[in-house]
Amino acid sequence: MSANTNKVWRGRFSGESAQEVDVFNSSISFDYVLFEEDIAGSIAHAKMLGQQKIISSEDTQKIVEGLETILKDLKSGQLLFDEQAEDIHMFIEAELTNRIGDAGKRLHTGRSRNDQVALDLRLYVKKQIAEIKAKLIQFEQVIIQQAEQHLNTVMPGYTHLQIAQPITFAHQILAYAQMIARDIKRLDEASEHTDSMPLGNGALAGTTYPLDRQFVAEQLGFKEVTANSLDGVSDRDFVLDTAYALSMVMMHLSRLSEEIILWCTQEFHFVELDDAFATGSSIMPQKKNPDVAELVRGKTGRAYGNLQTLLTMMKGIPLAYNKDMQEDKEALFDSIRTVDIALSAMIPMVKTMQVNRERMRTAASKGFINATDCADYLTKKGVPFREAYEVIGSLVQACIEKNQTLEDVSLEIYQTLHPVFEADIYEAIDLDECVIKRSIEGGPAPEAVKKQISRLKNQIDL
Ligand code: ARG
């Protein structure tokens, strides 16, 4: 049994809480990361209490100074988190009272841990989103750099993982830049939903003190204050929006990882990872494994799991705060950490990845990648597309039997298939031509890809 003597709510109880309950109930082992936000929130609250003459200016000063030294000591490691504390909020308040005495006991006037934790979490989420956004922008820049090197690097485009039509490596990799650009927008939106200040909601029903909520919002950089006290303490939509946006980031990183893993195989050998971003085998001396990409793919499950945890945690909670909501933190923090470390490893891996132009080109010259262009040639000469498709379909079949490509077929044979064939067919099915002619907006032709790049650069203000 542990003592209740150090608990602020001990007055109501005659018995002591079980040690197992203390351990089960405590969140400081994970919510300690909120210490900077907790202190910033308390400083703003104390200043407002002083300004509104709810507490004296001397007490305000003591509280602010006390909190500032606690922050300094926590950052320097001079003050350690007390594992016995119920949570980060109780820990900091107790430490403050230890240091400055009675003034510390006035800090929580007009406030509840319910609006306090909502505030801390919102401040934390806003900061973390900004950091992840900065990394996503860096990733976009790295992708753009790779694309600029490979505007003319022809490679096969796939559907069903079967060779489909020729594209360039620039075009392929920029598809991921587009995904990342949307991820950034999603995170912006999550940040916007987070940008509402909950202090003043109290435990659930607001407060009778004349708090100046706008002042606190301004001090802490929020664009508005929450509109309903019940919702304000129990809204975790912003956590879910963030967890969803982060799941999408992981899904995109995972798709790219899967491609990189394939491209690293002997069979593809489209890319070569820098030694710094590959690992060896304990038994097979020839191995160079794309572990980073595999781990990113593997860790994606965490983000999805966290999203599911949060959705399920919230679905049955009656208004307003319930302790279930303490469970929001580990899931959210894990998603943030996962995306952060995944990006940190992937950005330099993609930056240093060597692209094997010859292998890509060789792969693109197989698999009748220009069959569509061959059919289009006929169509442009007036043959209905379905008829053209059929002619080329049987030509491909014949070529497979003879182990030939469309380039190997003689003009005489072409003309027996259809009289409109002329010598310019060879230009029409030339690999580079097939790419260059796809100059439609959004297409793989170098000219179109350059436009795509400048559009992306404009978006991220490069
Ligand atoms: N540690 C709690 C949490 O993370 C803080 C809020 C506690 N509020 C309460 N009424 N018990 O949600």
Side-chain angles (χ1 to χ4, degrees):
M1 292 286 163
S2 81
N4 270 351
T5 45
N6 59 356
K7 297 207 169 76
V8 291
W9 37 260
R10 63 182 176 267
R12 159 70 178 77
F13 293 79
S14 45
E16 295 182 337
S17 61
Q19 200 203 334
E20 294 83 347
V21 170
D22 288 347
V23 171
F24 190 57
N25 203 32
S26 170
S27 54
I28 192 152
S29 62
F30 49 87
D31 66 17
Y32 72 91
V33 299
L34 299 174
F35 72 94
E36 288 184 64
E37 287 72 24
D38 195 72
I39 289 173
S42 288
I43 288 176
H45 182 65
K47 284 184 179 166
M48 181 276 296
L49 290 176
Q51 196 181 272
Q52 296 298 97
K53 310 229 176 324
I54 299 167
I55 63 173
S56 70
S57 53
E58 297 80 64
D59 282 348
T60 300
Q61 205 185 334
K62 277 190 198 161
I63 292 171
V64 171
E65 282 170 13
L67 288 169
E68 278 166 355
T69 51
I70 290 175
L71 178 64
K72 199 171 87 225
D73 293 350
L74 282 173
K75 278 186 164 172
S76 69
Q78 211 163 319
L79 173 64
L80 301 177
F81 296 102
D82 175 8
E83 287 164 35
Q84 308 299 318
E86 204 174 316
D87 56 28
I88 186 62
H89 325 292
M90 294 312 228
F91 168 71
I92 289 173
E93 194 186 321
E95 182 63 26
L96 181 69
T97 303
N98 265 346
R99 292 187 181 200
I100 65 167
D102 276 355
K105 296 183 184 169
R106 297 191 197 278
L107 168 62
H108 211 52
T109 312
R111 189 175 71 168
S112 156
R113 255 187 306 161
N114 298 350
D115 54 358
Q116 185 180 0
V117 70
L119 173 76
D120 293 4
L121 204 54
R122 283 175 184 268
L123 284 171
Y124 184 79
V125 166
K126 284 210 303 176
K127 187 172 89 183
Q128 295 300 322
I129 286 181
E131 281 175 23
I132 289 174
K133 256 186 72 179
K135 283 203 175 159
L136 287 171
I137 290 172
Q138 243 185 61
F139 195 29
E140 255 192 85
Q141 289 167 337
V142 161
I143 292 175
I144 290 170
Q145 279 163 20
Q146 278 284 9
E148 284 173 334
Q149 304 292 309
H150 294 286
L151 287 168
N152 298 300
T153 304
V154 175
M155 74 177 278
Y158 295 85
T159 63
H160 313 269
L161 214 50
Q162 303 286 318
I163 289 181
Q165 290 175 342
I167 55 168
T168 63
F169 182 67
H171 195 47
Q172 171 92 10
I173 194 89
L174 283 173
Y176 290 97
Q178 300 295 340
M179 296 178 216
I180 301 297
R182 291 195 295 276
D183 288 333
I184 290 172
K185 282 195 200 155
R186 254 184 296 276
L187 282 167
D188 277 339
E189 204 165 302
S191 186
E192 209 182 303
H193 295 166
T194 310
D195 207 3
S196 227
M197 205 290 296
L199 278 196
N201 289 325
L204 76 159
T207 178
T208 55
Y209 293 99
L211 305 187
D212 185 347
R213 300 189 64 204
Q214 292 297 341
F215 173 83
V216 177
E218 276 159 33
Q219 289 274 302
L220 297 171
F222 282 97
K223 79 164 192 288
E224 60 181 24
V225 300
T226 58
N228 176 305
S229 63
L230 294 166
D231 185 45
V233 288
S234 65
D235 165 23
R236 293 294 182 273
D237 292 5
F238 67 97
V239 175
L240 275 148
D241 288 340
T242 307
Y244 168 66
L246 295 175
S247 295
M248 293 290 279
V249 172
M250 287 309 290
M251 186 266 282
H252 294 145
L253 296 185
S254 182
R255 288 183 73 181
L256 177 56
S257 293
E258 170 65 13
E259 301 229 67
I260 291 174
I261 293 162
L262 274 176
W263 295 339
C264 284
T265 58
Q266 261 88 3
E267 291 79 0
F268 276 82
H269 202 194
F270 283 0
V271 299
E272 180 82 31
L273 294 180
D274 190 275
D275 281 359
F277 297 95
T279 49
S281 154
S282 63
I283 170 170
M284 296 164 283
Q286 84 282 13
K287 291 289 236 104
K288 181 171 174 185
N289 296 327
D291 284 25
V292 170
E294 290 167 42
L295 263 177
V296 169
R297 193 178 57 183
K299 280 181 188 288
T300 301
R302 281 174 177 260
Y304 295 2
N306 292 331
L307 178 61
Q308 191 63 44
T309 295
L310 290 163
L311 283 167
T312 311
M313 186 270 286
M314 287 304 292
K315 83 178 175 63
I317 299 186
L319 293 174
Y321 178 85
N322 292 257
K323 191 70 172 223
D324 316 40
M325 291 160 87
Q326 181 163 286
E327 286 292 301
D328 58 6
K329 286 166 210 67
E330 281 168 294
L332 173 69
F333 297 168
D334 186 67
S335 286
I336 291 170
R337 193 182 119 78
T338 301
V339 168
D340 184 63
I341 56 173
L343 279 170
S344 298
M346 259 191 106
I347 293 169
M349 181 180 79
V350 171
K351 188 183 167 113
T352 55
M353 186 171 81
Q354 290 295 323
V355 173
N356 193 335
R357 289 184 169 85
E358 295 70 39
R359 289 284 302 191
M360 285 187 174
R361 196 176 177 88
T362 308
S365 17
K366 292 179 188 153
F368 302 97
I369 200 163
N370 44 7
T372 314
D373 298 89
C374 203
D376 284 344
Y377 173 89
L378 288 178
T379 309
K380 282 173 191 160
K381 299 215 168 186
V383 182
F385 181 73
R386 276 292 156 236
E387 193 185 321
Y389 177 98
E390 234 180 279
V391 171
I392 306 305
S394 32
L395 174 60
V396 166
Q397 168 80 26
C399 283
I400 291 172
E401 278 161 22
K402 291 189 195 135
N403 199 19
Q404 283 187 330
T405 66
L406 294 178
E407 290 88 336
D408 297 334
V409 177
S410 70
L411 187 57
E412 293 71 50
I413 301 280
Y414 271 117
Q415 283 169 342
T416 58
L417 291 169
H418 208 290
V420 299
F421 274 118
E422 289 174 79
D424 59 355
I425 176 60
Y426 297 105
E427 196 193 316
I429 60 171
D430 174 79
L431 209 49
D432 296 297
E433 280 300 308
C434 292
V435 173
I436 289 167
K437 285 202 188 117
R438 288 185 159 75
S439 57
I440 188 162
E441 189 174 352
E447 285 320 302
V449 170
K450 276 187 203 158
K451 282 188 198 144
Q452 191 186 164
I453 290 176
S454 50
R455 213 164 114 175
L456 280 166
K457 283 184 174 174
N458 277 342
Q459 274 173 25
I460 52 178
D461 268 330
L462 275 182

